[in-house]
Amino acid sequence: QVQLVQSGSELKKSGASVKVSCKASGYTFTTYSINWVRQAPGQRPEWMGWINTNTGNPTYAQGFSGRFVFSLDTSVSTAYLQISSLKAEDTAVYYCARDHMPWDVWGTGTTVTVSS
Amino acid sequence: SYELTQTPSVSVSPGQTASITCSGDRLGDKYASWYQQKPGQSPVLVIYEDKKRPSGIPERFSGSNSGNSATLTISGTQLMDEADYYCQAYDRNTVVFGGGTKLTVL
């Protein structure tokens, strides 16, 4: 079945970097773009942007440029989110979501906790 | 920037109808989607393009959208429907989510 499986929880120090993976299965990876979403504890989902899985071209939402980088490895049907110079306010669950209907499949979620 | 506003909480008795609204400027001119999120789980799409149900979503979930408001209606609400519900819309190539509505079934 169609699924997006994300990497496990991460505990990082302020200033460090983290890379979250989102592995797709059950469909042709390059058919649909991938969105990234941040959900801080008790908050609404917040759209971070998307990456075109055909061209690799990323689009970042306002407030998510600079420290945030979307990338792909199409050979293993995987999208990545890298966050550098982590801050306490980056503590959240990060989701990937397939861009279809509009977002019909979400990843399993990756909890990133940033401690000082 | 575009904003979507939802009532923070709605309570309903089992078997009754729950209505959850989402308000935004000229929201009826855009497509609204709805997601259900249970504690500790990923969101699940329950309504897209205002009123369409993805495969596997029960018929008791329905949607409408006109003017400045979109509505998610759950007919014959069941205990398993207790969750947070978020509306979503696109505005000028930006994706926006509502603040969420906690549906309590009691």
Side-chain angles (χ1 to χ4, degrees), chain B residues 13-96:
Chain B
S13 299
Q16 299 303 301
T17 297
S19 294
I20 298 171
T21 60
C22 174
S23 300
D25 186 46
R26 300 172 68 99
L27 180 57
D29 293 341
K30 313 176 193 301
Y31 276 137
S33 300
W34 291 91
Y35 297 87
Q36 175 194 70
Q37 187 177 33
K38 297 182 179 179
Q41 297 185 19
S42 304
V44 173
L45 179 67
V46 294
I47 292 289
Y48 69 103
E49 292 182 5
D50 297 338
K51 58 186 177 183
K52 296 180 180 179
R53 274 180 296 104
S55 170
I57 299 301
E59 289 185 11
R60 64 180 181 273
F61 288 88
S62 62
S64 63
N65 184 19
S66 67
N68 294 318
S69 293
T71 301
L72 172 69
T73 302
I74 310 173
S75 305
T77 306
Q78 299 185 9
L79 290 172
M80 68 173 66
D81 300 329
E82 186 164 286
D84 293 328
Y85 290 85
Y86 295 96
C87 58
Q88 178 202 48
Y90 284 74
D91 177 69
R92 285 183 261 186
N93 296 319
T94 296
V95 178
V96 182

Side-chain angles (χ1 to χ4, degrees), chain A residues 6 35 37 39 42-47 50 59 61-62 93 95 98-109, chain B residues 1 3-4 33 35 37 40-45 47-49 54-55 86 88 90 93-100:
Chain A
Q6 297 184 225
N35 291 278
V37 174
Q39 189 172 30
Q43 301 300 308
R44 73 182 76 186
E46 186 177 14
W47 180 62
W50 62 284
T59 298
Q62 195 168 10
V93 179
Y95 294 101
R98 186 173 81 158
D99 195 81
H100 175 58
M101 262 178 36
W103 295 6
D104 63 340
V105 180
W106 289 60
T108 50
Chain B
S1 61
E3 293 187 359
L4 294 174
S33 300
Y35 297 87
Q37 187 177 33
Q41 297 185 19
S42 304
V44 173
L45 179 67
I47 292 289
Y48 69 103
E49 292 182 5
S55 170
Y86 295 96
Q88 178 202 48
Y90 284 74
N93 296 319
T94 296
V95 178
V96 182
F97 286 92

